[in-house]
Amino acid sequence: MSSTRLTRKAGPYALLVPAILVLVVGMAYPLGRQLVLSFHEFGRAQQFGQPAPWVGLDNYRELVTDRTMWTVIARSLAFCLVNASITMVVGTLVAVLMKRVATAPRLILQISMLLAWAMPVIAAMTAWQWLFDTRYGLVNWTLQKLGFNSFDGHNWLIDPLSFFFVASVIIIWMSVPFVAFTAYAALTQVSEETLEASHLDGATAIQRFRHIVYPTIKPVLTIVMLLQIVWDLRVFAQINFLQNVGGTPSETHLLGTYIYTLGIGQNDYGSASAMAMFVLVLTLALTFRYVRSLLKEEPR
Amino acid sequence: MKLTKIAAAAAASALALTALAACGSSDGDKADGGSDTVTLWLAGKTDTPPKVEAWLVKEFAAQHKGKNLKVQHIDWGELIPRLNTALQSDKTPDVVEVGNTQAATFTSVGAFTDLTDKLDQLGNNIGPKSFVEAGTYDGKVSAVPYYWGSRYIFYSKKAFKDAGIKVPTTLEGFDQAATQLKSDGNSKFSGFWLPGQDWRNGISWIFANGGDIAKQEGGKWVATLSSPESVKGLTELQGLYEKATTAPKDGKDAEPWTAFNNGEAAMFMAPSWARWSVDKKRAADLGGFALPGVDGGAAPVFAGGSNLGISAKSKNQDLAFDLLKLIYSDEFQQQLAKNGLGPANDKFTGLMGDDEFAKAAVSAASNSKLTPASPEWASVESASIMEEFFGKIANGGDVAAAAKAVDAKLNAALNK
């Protein structure tokens, strides 16, 4: 038995240690603590040293019987699905466009998207807030110049639906570049020969996309869709920012801002943890299908 | 398949980036636990004027050989969450500033050292009384007044002259003046700049009509925004939202001077320090008066200001108390007053000046009120309950129904 064989056997596992450590410290511990917290009453008094009483499923019971939670969940799901779908469609279309146009416009497109993608959230949000400002906003000004006089001093955030429209515009604007770049990278892998052959055989553009291009880039689109769902479900910064600017927070809460208000805002860490557990289950349920199909395609 | 791997790698790195971004912001401030340094947390960047702060640091070092004072500034918006975590840690700041309405949040859980027995060492006329009460829980004083400010009306003298209006002496007269000023101006012009969710100013109309947010009855908080008096004030306020202002119905109290600076508002209401944010070119045009009451005099306004507490976990209790004594020294109190901040020692209130702004400030402060002294009030603030309620009134909602709904919310929140 040589020691090299042992090292060779242990080597890969040793290399895994840092990654596992990071996962345990960064994910497992907070998750475990969250689970424990969700069964306790944990408020400000507990933060300052009082013992936290065990309340069993009380936090969960309170949430389940509270209509607010179901409204927030329904709202978040709708928001997430609408945003993720639009982002995917627009992103894919932009990718197809990039494939078609000449180099110069493509570069311009890529650079501007890269800038949008790289812009820090708060900086971008500030600019968007100015655009939609009630009194001095460019959007109102433009619409007014175009003859829509009712937009003089129009308030974009006060009505919840309008609030989510603005939020969606911003979030889609922020997420499209990632989808477009990834889909573009995938498109470059589509075999030109196959496309040419099918063209000669008389396949239309739509048929070529459906039967050749789409199956090729599908795995990529699947995983990007998965990411978009996760991201859009736990969207926080944009909503929180807009809520601070205007609108009615209690009518515009999504899961992220609701948990934040419960926990950090009202010091009800027990309920906030219970709510976060719900979100975890929800995310798993939403993405289960995608994860399974990805695992299936993984070569053994 | 190769593509899956590329995508998976892209996804993994994107997720990793998100995770990194999430934890990048928590570097935190290093609060030295060493007993040579006393750490003081002040709220806001320049709420305590830099010159006054510099004096404090210098003087503290001069009085204590080998010791020094370190001041850290925390933004108002972050203050509560930061204190929630910092005050219970071993690296706690020694002395902290909290907003007067936030004090109960911390005194109620024993986060501050009990100062009841040492109070007379700080002076025998600590005030304002409402601030001492705000820092008292269960009969123990653990947060003492730092400075106070009061809200009053800033106005354009020229606009008043052009419209032939004199400074109003009753609340009704004020409402009429504001309405007339708006109708004289163009469609963007506000007689009185009053954003819909700015409840800290709007609440004065409730107070002036004898209403209140909540009162304590038999150990429980009972919200009173739907009392006849409150509803009367709210109805009057709704008239102003409709006829006297063009401010956004969901606007908050941030930077109320912007419209004034742009020549788009004749009046706005703000704490005394707002004066320094008005465009210098308009300084000659700027006047100030206390919001008049229903029958003349000054209407009750919402008192602004701060309290100071010593962290119960601080290892430098004596030095921290020395710092409080220094803050309460005549010299420091004088400097506060000269800079327009209401001093805890009322002997020096006169130093705030005798121009119309100082008079307005003192007059408004004579009749100031605070939010309910419930430890849960901070939760009401972070859930934006008051903002939403006033926004609904501003947007033309039914006053009585909205008031009833918000009372239910407040009762639930305050009696947790």
Side-chain angles (χ1 to χ4, degrees), chain B residues 9 20 30-31 39 43 70 77 79 83 86-87 96 158 178 180 186 200 224 245 251 267-268 278 295 302 367 413:
Chain B
L20 281 178
K30 215 175 73 208
T39 313
K70 192 163 112 194
L79 191 61
L83 287 176
L87 287 176
V96 299
K158 185 173 173 300
Q180 190 195 326
N186 63 24
R200 287 183 181 84
T224 54
T245 195
M267 296 189 275
F268 67 94
V278 169
D295 304 309
F302 181 65
N367 208 356

Side-chain angles (χ1 to χ4, degrees), chain B residues 68-127:
Chain B
N68 58 69
L69 169 65
K70 192 163 112 194
V71 179
Q72 288 173 343
H73 297 264
I74 315 291
D75 280 342
W76 277 108
E78 285 175 33
L79 191 61
I80 293 277
R82 291 287 295 274
L83 287 176
N84 269 338
T85 46
L87 287 176
Q88 43 152 349
S89 76
D90 292 333
K91 296 197 164 182
T92 172
D94 300 298
V95 181
V96 299
E97 172 184 357
V98 283
N100 49 9
T101 61
Q102 303 165 336
T105 307
F106 300 102
T107 57
S108 63
V109 287
F112 295 146
T113 307
D114 179 11
L115 299 173
T116 320
D117 299 333
K118 291 172 151 182
L119 224 48
D120 52 348
Q121 291 181 47
L122 295 177
N124 44 20
N125 46 356
I126 290 180

Side-chain angles (χ1 to χ4, degrees), chain A residues 108-130:
Chain A
I108 295 174
L109 204 60
Q110 280 174 331
I111 289 170
S112 32
M113 278 203 304
L114 199 64
L115 287 176
W117 169 246
M119 176 117 67
V121 179
I122 298 305
M125 288 306 297
T126 310
W128 280 103
Q129 177 211 337
W130 288 339

Side-chain angles (χ1 to χ4, degrees), chain A residues 44-45 47-48 135-136 155 157-158 189 216 223 227 234 243-244 246-251 264-267, chain B residues 3 7 11 18 84 87-88 105 109 111 188 193 197 246 249-250 252 262 264 375 379 382-383 388 392 416:
Chain A
R44 202 182 318 104
Q47 253 192 318
F48 284 99
R135 284 172 81 85
Y136 309 114
N155 195 325
L157 300 180
I158 207 157
Q189 301 291 307
T216 319
I223 203 160
L227 280 175
R234 49 152 228 206
Q243 284 179 336
N244 285 335
T248 315
S250 71
E251 288 166 16
I264 310 288
Q266 295 170 24
N267 283 293
Chain B
L3 266 182
T18 326
N84 269 338
L87 287 176
Q88 43 152 349
T105 307
V109 287
K188 280 218 154 151
W193 179 258
Q197 295 191 359
T246 57
K249 302 294 181 224
D250 60 350
K252 297 186 170 64
N262 289 343
E264 292 178 344
S379 300
S382 51
E388 290 188 1
K392 288 220 163 77
K416 222 169 205 173

